[in-house]
């Protein structure tokens, strides 16, 4: 005799798991690219630390409102803020400011695009 069990899935919790995994990935990529860009410019340890903390704060603010309808605005504001931080970090490190801005903006936009593409791919983003 076969015993049948009713399987219970918890699909209603998949949204927070997706947000946690992709948000952590985005946070790691954008913060580490910011820190590496500042470090490559030959900046002091204090400047690298300040840039890293500022990047973490920007990412945290972005994630704090990610559940709302403000996602396009927050994504754009995050890119602008990260570009400003990249330019500031390059200036502090005596590197080319335009290169710092382009580098940070490119890698941040790439990380956001990959995150959005994965969301569309698995059917959890519009």
């Amino acid at each position: 005799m076969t015993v049948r069990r009713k399987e219970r899935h918890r699909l209603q919790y998949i949204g927070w798991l997706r947000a946690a995994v992709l948000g952590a990935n985005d946070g790691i990529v954008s913060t580490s690219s910011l820190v590496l860009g500042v470090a490559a410019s030959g900046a002091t340890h204090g400047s690298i630390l300040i840039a890293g903390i500022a990047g973490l704060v920007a990412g945290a603010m972005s994630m704090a409102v990610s559940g709302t309808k403000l996602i396009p605005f927050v994504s754009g504001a995050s890119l602008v803020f990260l570009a400003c931080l990249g330019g500031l970090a390059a200036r502090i490190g005596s590197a080319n400011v335009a290169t710092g801005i382009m580098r940070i903006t490119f890698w941040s936009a790439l990380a956001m695009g990959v995150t959005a593409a994965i969301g569309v791919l698995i059917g959890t983003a519009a």
Side-chain angles (χ1 to χ4, degrees):
M1 182 165 136
T2 305
V3 178
R4 298 187 118 202
R5 291 188 212 187
K6 183 178 180 186
E7 293 182 11
R8 288 186 286 164
H9 299 278
R10 303 194 191 284
L11 292 177
Q12 68 270 22
Y13 299 117
I14 196 71
W16 74 265
L17 179 62
R18 177 190 154 272
V21 170
L22 296 178
N25 183 38
D26 184 32
I28 290 169
V29 170
S30 62
T31 304
S32 62
S33 65
L34 176 67
V35 169
L36 287 174
V38 173
S41 71
T44 64
H45 293 291
S47 299
I48 296 169
L49 182 65
I50 289 172
I53 290 171
L56 286 173
V57 169
M61 291 186 318
S62 173
M63 289 301 293
V65 295
S66 66
T68 67
K69 302 289 184 197
L70 299 173
I71 292 174
F73 171 76
V74 171
S75 297
S78 295
L79 281 177
V80 170
F81 187 66
L82 285 170
C84 291
L85 286 175
L88 178 65
R91 183 176 169 96
I92 289 171
S94 300
N96 186 346
V97 174
T99 302
I101 290 171
M102 287 186 295
R103 186 177 293 150
I104 294 298
T105 304
F106 172 77
W107 289 111
S108 299
L110 181 66
M112 288 180 191
V114 167
T115 301
I118 291 171
V120 169
L121 190 65
I122 62 176
T124 58

